Amino acid sequence: MEGALSWIEHHLAHFDPYKDGRLSGLCEIPLAELAILVLSALRCSERVRDETIRRCLDLLQFTYHRSVYRERPFREPETLVPHVMVAAALERAGRLSPDAYRGRVERLVRASTLTAPSLPPHRLMELRHALDLAGVAHTLPSYSRLFRSTLAAQDVNPIFLSKAEAYIVTHVIFYAADLGHRPPVGVDERDAERLRTLVERLLGMYLVAGNWDLTAELVLCARCLRRPCAFVDFAWQCIADAQRTDGAVPGTRAHPQRDQDPERLDDAESDVSRCYHTTLVTALAAFACIHDSSTSGTP
Amino acid sequence: MRMRDEMEAAARFVTRVSDSQDDDDASPRHRLQAVFALWLAARAGIPFAVASLERTAAAAGLALERASRCGSFDPYTYDPRLLLVCREAMRACGVECAPLAAFAGDLVAVIQDVNAIPRRLAGTIALLELLDEMPLCPKSTARVDLPPATESLLRAPAPVLHDVCNQIAASSCFGARGVPRATRTGYLSTLPMILMQKLREYDLMLGASVLRSLKYLGMRDAEELDYAREYVLCQQQADGRFGYYARELSEGATLRNPHRELYLPVTVSMLWALVEIETPGACLVRD
């Protein structure tokens, strides 16, 4: 956790969608992911690296108040979710008044096609989760109804599950359980038990594959489901072993030889691109575990 | 028994490929693979295998004698377990193959001469004993001391996993003898994950090995086995072979005869795994 947060703090510029003056390739997504991390830190029962979280909030606030950023969802409503996540983090930190955005966002949600069922079910669930976090009124179906339409509600053979589909499963669990901050909503006992088994199998498979990104996501899923899951301790051990001395946890496209020596990186920017998500998800999973253990007494 | 049609189709493919005469130099190896596959499939009661085994065994015996006479058969370039099972299969069909008998005799002599048995030979020794080629060997303790597995097995590279599968086969005498519960536990929690991921990575040979290992460890009626079975059956082509390898073949794998050099061993391996997990009481050799 310490190493991952330290690395993120040293590479905050990467999360700025306008760091080179123009919108970056990944657009607002890394910034929204940073907002999710900040929200988890703010909601965690233990304070960890307050100064790092304050610097992350500074970036969120600075970016949010750039008109070119703030106006984007009103011109392109499909970009609303990442914006709402940033607003929710700022509001939670007391850096943004809900009056500053909620009414206009509610109008946009009502008037646009965002809530029309043209989005895949897991995307609708993501939208609902973001709007709920920001306290934005909407008419989206219940979590239960949305969940039942997702891939995660189906009996699936894990061998056939692609990586993209594994991410859909993990994200549906994140939205239902508010990233571990509540028991999964809209998921009945039978589905929760089935998902626990699926998460355990996928965790075992991605440990075999050495994919630390999905490993960290699945560790977080295990926390979200609040059920015992094999391989979690071993997964943490593997992630810790893979973590570099500079705190980065290499992603699936990282280079093993260069990963051992960050000084020798020939392309620092692409290295950050490869590592940022895995490092961030690792920190997110660690926050959920710290929160969980301090509130439930589990180690 | 489920999957009779699929096993029958695989047996037909194996026989067809090993029978064709366009590559005589390599034929003993492929004929032996066919004998091995048909022997297994016949034990599962697959009609085509039952009907074809004798003819295939006789043809393999002749090919081997011929290769031996002209010096092109070196048994030490083969998996000894393949040769021993084929010798047993051929004898059961009334075919006495001198080169295989000589190899078995040499092997027994060597084993009785050494002080400590290397772990990698444990499976071979178990087979020699089961096939009554040699008396029970007090030195072959490697067979029974399968070390317990931990979660670190999930990170083991493929050669280590192959070695683990061989040790499980040796320790259980290819499923003929039980493995202690305390030893089984760690394997039964990790190997199903390895099985699913290796199949996902399209390492069908290793997948088949792990599938057999799980059967030797006594795994039954597990969802992971159903998933693997479902996936494996989706990899069978219309002509009975297993594997869709057009990508590897177009990306530079230069094989003179892909049917024999690639599809045949994969299909034999898959057929072996299917016979083991689908046939109640099926064993490579009886204890």
Side-chain angles (χ1 to χ4, degrees), chain A residues 46-111:
Chain A
E46 272 185 37
R47 301 263 65 80
V48 181
R49 286 188 75 103
D50 277 341
E51 182 56 23
T52 300
I53 302 304
R54 192 188 61 71
R55 289 197 59 200
C56 293
L57 277 162
D58 289 346
L59 175 68
L60 295 179
Q61 190 171 16
F62 170 78
T63 309
Y64 187 84
H65 288 293
R66 292 172 83 156
S67 50
V68 67
Y69 174 84
R70 203 173 57 240
E71 290 175 3
R72 209 160 110 88
F74 297 95
R75 295 179 61 146
E76 292 155 287
E78 65 273 20
T79 65
L80 182 67
V81 167
H83 283 259
V84 168
M85 295 307 297
V86 171
L90 289 173
E91 189 190 334
R92 177 93 194 186
R95 293 195 183 202
L96 182 69
S97 161
D99 301 337
Y101 73 100
R102 198 169 285 159
R104 285 178 299 117
V105 170
E106 278 175 2
R107 171 175 291 184
L108 180 67
V109 170
R110 263 199 318 273

Side-chain angles (χ1 to χ4, degrees), chain A residues 199-217:
Chain A
V199 164
E200 190 172 277
R201 285 175 178 149
L202 290 174
L203 181 55
M205 288 172 70
Y206 283 105
L207 279 165
V208 175
N211 181 326
W212 310 129
D213 203 89
L214 270 163
T215 293
E217 293 227 351

Side-chain angles (χ1 to χ4, degrees), chain A residues 157 159 201 207-208 231 234, chain B residues 155 200 223-224 227 230:
Chain A
N157 180 338
I159 307 173
R201 285 175 178 149
L207 279 165
V208 175
F231 312 128
F234 182 64
Chain B
R155 299 293 304 134
R200 171 93 205 148
E223 266 187 321
E224 289 93 341
Y227 292 144
E230 201 175 14

